[in-house]
Amino acid sequence: MRRLDVSMLSLLAKTTSMMEYLGFLWVVQTGLELNLWAEMETARSLEELMIMHPGWDEILLDHWLEQAHYMELLTKKNDLFQATKLAKAINKYRNLGLEALYKELIAHWTIGFAELPRLITKQCAKLTLENEMEELIAKASIVSEPFVWPYLRSKCQKEQWKSVLDLGCGEGRYLKILSSEFSDLCGVGIEMNPAVAERAQEKVKESDGRIRILCKDIFSLVDQQKESLLELGSFDLCLLNNSIHFFTQEQRIQLLGSIREFLKPGGQVGILTAVRKGSPVRVFRTHLPQNLMSFFLACHQGFEGLPTTEEIRSLLFQTGYGDVDIAVMPLGTSHYFCARKTDECLETPR
């Protein structure tokens, strides 16, 4: 089992710090292009800004405000945001080469974030998860292994899982290491990206046929091909992991309800997800270290904002799961929700 030693923690801290600097560029330039630094010299709430700009994207604007507040460009009191001295200086010196400099830096780093002003003002469509982006997400999920693996290993020992279904399995990393650690464990992984699925199929060849990777869309399986999946048997555990970010609430309910059919009595579902802090009343409240990633995800179609812990817990109860175990991953990178299938679907707890 890998351990998080001091050098790794230091490296992660440096990486997070670098991401913050990039985030500073994106926040400053977006504020310049949309003239928000001038508008924020007067204290305003998200609701007031949306009244001023009714056609804007509320999720992205909310996230921009929270980012700017974290970076000490805005103060915040009673949900009112106001420009700091630094933000006023940005606006004051914008015509002295400052704005041109930020435009150049933004164009160098990423097209996606360079489009933020147009995305916020809805002058262009949200970005789509192209194959290249799916590849990036699949590779990024491998980075979470040192955090997630100790938890999964401990749970598997305790629960004695024998069969695992991984929906959105990426390169099949968790199925591979679970089968390597537990010789009597079998699993099936579902991955929609053909290139990623092919790599996963290659990597699990050493499992002696105990792990299978299928290249399928998750919803085509639960909607149209349930019988073909049920033929593979029932499972002790179904992993969803970060793929849940790109489902609407209706899709989450549909998917979690359908998963019950593939689980043995008392089987479990595992969800790895970043969460947002604060009241669900706000559209999109964020915090480090996952705020920049969620900001990036918010630029893409299908992403409706990070859920709160209580929203995930409520969703699980609503779709027929109980005995919810919530584990916070090291450094607060994500939360792991593990819940057990109950005898019947329950109403959402009040």
Side-chain angles (χ1 to χ4, degrees), residues 163-197:
S163 54
V164 177
L165 172 65
D166 191 347
L167 298 181
C169 68
E171 297 189 2
R173 181 63 182 169
Y174 290 118
L175 287 174
K176 185 176 185 298
I177 59 177
L178 279 168
S179 66
S180 298
E181 182 78 13
F182 303 97
S183 59
D184 56 350
L185 184 143
C186 299
V188 176
I190 309 295
E191 171 57 44
M192 67 179 295
N193 185 311
V196 176

Side-chain angles (χ1 to χ4, degrees), residues 97-127:
L98 187 65
E99 186 168 7
L101 171 64
Y102 273 92
K103 281 185 177 179
E104 184 68 25
L105 291 171
I106 287 293
H108 172 74
W109 281 108
T110 170
I111 296 175
F113 274 106
E115 292 289 342
L116 269 177
R118 296 180 65 216
L119 289 170
I120 289 178
T121 56
K122 295 186 177 180
Q123 296 180 55
C124 66
K126 290 284 186 74
L127 307 177

Side-chain angles (χ1 to χ4, degrees), residues 49-243:
L49 286 169
M50 285 306 301
I51 291 173
M52 296 169 62
H53 307 287
W56 286 16
D57 186 299
E58 189 172 8
I59 289 178
L60 284 173
L61 179 58
D62 184 21
H63 205 148
W64 182 87
L65 290 169
E66 294 290 345
Q67 289 276 3
H69 172 240
Y70 173 80
M71 294 169 184
E72 299 182 350
L73 294 168
L74 296 176
T75 61
K76 181 181 179 183
K77 184 177 182 181
N78 298 326
D79 286 332
L80 293 176
F81 296 87
Q82 188 167 15
T84 63
K85 290 182 178 179
L86 181 57
K88 291 177 181 177
I90 290 171
N91 191 53
K92 179 178 180 181
Y93 299 118
R94 64 183 300 173
N95 295 322
L96 299 180
L98 187 65
E99 186 168 7
L101 171 64
Y102 273 92
K103 281 185 177 179
E104 184 68 25
L105 291 171
I106 287 293
H108 172 74
W109 281 108
T110 170
I111 296 175
F113 274 106
E115 292 289 342
L116 269 177
R118 296 180 65 216
L119 289 170
I120 289 178
T121 56
K122 295 186 177 180
Q123 296 180 55
C124 66
K126 290 284 186 74
L127 307 177
T128 58
L129 282 177
E130 305 293 346
N131 285 343
E132 292 79 6
M133 181 55 59
E134 291 173 357
E135 289 267 0
L136 177 61
I137 292 174
K139 292 177 180 177
S141 66
I142 298 174
V143 178
S144 65
E145 180 194 329
F147 307 110
V148 179
W149 169 234
Y151 173 77
L152 279 181
R153 183 177 186 272
S154 175
K155 289 288 287 186
C156 191
Q157 288 175 326
K158 178 182 177 182
E159 302 290 343
Q160 297 186 336
W161 293 325
K162 304 298 182 186
S163 54
V164 177
L165 172 65
D166 191 347
L167 298 181
C169 68
E171 297 189 2
R173 181 63 182 169
Y174 290 118
L175 287 174
K176 185 176 185 298
I177 59 177
L178 279 168
S179 66
S180 298
E181 182 78 13
F182 303 97
S183 59
D184 56 350
L185 184 143
C186 299
V188 176
I190 309 295
E191 171 57 44
M192 67 179 295
N193 185 311
V196 176
E198 185 176 350
R199 289 203 302 271
Q201 290 163 354
E202 187 65 29
K203 290 183 178 181
V204 301
K205 283 183 177 179
E206 300 174 1
S207 67
D208 299 323
R210 290 187 292 121
I211 301 299
R212 294 179 58 187
I213 305 295
L214 306 178
C215 185
K216 300 286 185 182
D217 177 78
I218 291 174
F219 282 99
S220 71
L221 280 170
V222 299
D223 286 340
Q224 304 165 12
Q225 302 177 37
K226 286 185 181 179
E227 294 303 321
S228 64
L229 185 56
L230 287 171
E231 289 175 2
L232 300 174
S234 54
F235 299 89
D236 296 311
L237 171 71
C238 177
L239 296 174
L240 272 177
N241 294 341
N242 289 308
S243 56

